[in-house]
Amino acid sequence: MDNNKYQDIVNRKTPKENVLYNGMIAFFVGGFIGVLGQFLMELYAYLFHISQSEASIFMIMTLIFLGCLLTCLGFFDKWVTFARCGLIIPITGFAHSMMSAALEYRKEGLIMGIGANMLKLAGSVIIYGVVSAYAFGTLRLLIMGG
Amino acid sequence: MIYLNAFLFTGTVCLIGQLILDNTKLTPGHITVIFVVIGTFLDIFNIYDKFILWAGGGALVPITSFGHLLIHGGMEMASNIGYMGLMMGMFNLTASGITSAIVFSFILSFLFQPKD
């Protein structure tokens, strides 16, 4: 069978994703997390009498904790397969990737298991974030001077 | 009103991510990296600060704000002590997020068994 024919059959047999449905699910789940973030921020600012920027740090830590805990309890993996980017793009996805790597590699030992593998997926986010922040920061200092 | 803005902003960012995921062969790992880079890029002309004013917590939740906070901490330090401050202050604002994620997942990995 020549290559084009094979590719044709593969394209036909691959299950079609319902783009509109997936998009709406991601939109509503992501939007709900955004509302939750804003609500937690105002709640902490009101409860502890702190400024909005300090409350935002508590809010991000709360969401990370929830992401970790729900991954441990086994709910989060099912929700991620349902909502996809609605849960991966918010900071919960960052926590989920770390937590699932830590759980998965724990049996390989403390150093070579958890230590070496916990940042496997989250590491790419940190590395590219830092490199691009450095590059764009230099650019901004050169263009605008601060 | 800010709740509606937060809903719309986070929802739109997630929708864009989902559209990229469905229409290309990129994995979720690629998409989070792309969004972090976009977040740092939008901070060059202070665009992301306007998003935060408009959508409040909704703009701080997506992973784009991680990139924004990285460059923001660096620029804040750089305005005080010059170019080297960019390296010194890079993690100032994101330290809480990274530290809490590492500590929580380290402790919780001892308390729970992996589920299949």
Side-chain angles (χ1 to χ4, degrees):
Chain A
M1 199 189 297
D2 69 286
N3 239 340
N4 283 338
K5 224 171 184 178
Y6 175 73
Q7 202 57 46
D8 225 46
I9 292 171
V10 166
N11 284 341
R12 218 168 342 114
K13 299 282 181 188
T14 314
K16 287 274 179 291
E17 301 268 11
N18 193 340
V19 176
L20 195 68
Y21 176 77
N22 284 348
M24 287 326 277
I25 295 285
F27 180 77
F28 281 108
V29 174
F32 174 73
I33 292 179
V35 171
L36 182 70
Q38 176 63 26
F39 172 74
L40 283 173
M41 221 168 102
E42 287 186 7
L43 184 73
Y44 287 140
Y46 175 76
L47 279 182
F48 303 129
H49 304 290
I50 49 178
S51 66
Q52 291 269 320
S53 55
E54 282 170 321
S56 72
I57 293 171
F58 286 165
M59 178 270 283
I60 285 174
M61 282 164 76
T62 310
L63 285 180
I64 286 174
F65 181 72
L66 282 178
C68 286
L69 190 69
L70 290 171
T71 306
C72 285
L73 295 172
F75 299 124
F76 211 84
D77 285 316
K78 284 171 210 145
W79 295 350
V80 166
T81 47
F82 171 69
R84 313 289 283 284
C85 273
L87 287 169
I88 294 168
I89 297 291
I91 200 81
T92 47
F94 183 74
H96 168 71
S97 69
M98 259 187 187
M99 188 72 239
S100 49
L103 279 177
E104 200 180 326
Y105 288 102
R106 191 187 52 173
K107 58 178 179 295
E108 290 180 19
L110 282 181
I111 308 296
M112 296 315 289
I114 294 180
N117 292 304
M118 194 204 265
L119 291 173
K120 218 171 205 177
L121 294 160
S124 63
V125 172
I126 295 175
I127 288 165
Y128 283 100
V130 169
V131 170
S132 61
Y134 186 71
F136 290 137
T138 309
L139 199 68
R140 191 175 144 176
L141 281 171
L142 287 175
I143 295 173
M144 296 160 67
Chain B
M1 196 60 205
I2 198 160
Y3 285 98
L4 183 67
N5 291 346
F7 183 84
L8 287 177
F9 186 84
T10 321
T12 310
V13 172
C14 293
L15 178 64
I16 294 168
Q18 185 63 45
L19 288 178
I20 297 173
L21 184 70
D22 279 345
N23 291 313
T24 59
K25 288 201 170 73
L26 299 175
T27 62
H30 287 99
I31 291 168
T32 41
V33 168
I34 290 171
F35 273 88
V36 169
V37 176
I38 289 174
T40 55
F41 178 74
L42 286 179
D43 201 63
I44 297 181
F45 301 108
N46 288 325
I47 299 170
Y48 208 83
D49 287 327
K50 294 195 182 75
F51 285 145
I52 290 178
L53 278 181
W54 185 70
L60 292 166
V61 167
I63 197 80
T64 40
S65 89
F66 183 79
H68 155 76
L69 289 174
L70 279 174
I71 187 169
H72 211 72
M75 295 311 292
E76 215 172 85
M77 193 64 112
S79 65
N80 288 339
I81 57 171
Y83 183 63
M84 287 310 287
L86 191 60
M87 284 183 178
M88 291 164 70
M90 185 75 83
F91 282 106
N92 271 1
L93 298 170
T94 41
S96 59
I98 295 175
T99 312
S100 60
I102 290 176
V103 170
F104 290 149
S105 41
F106 188 79
I107 294 172
L108 287 173
S109 70
F110 286 99
L111 299 178
F112 289 91
Q113 295 295 325
K115 300 257 193 318
D116 287 319

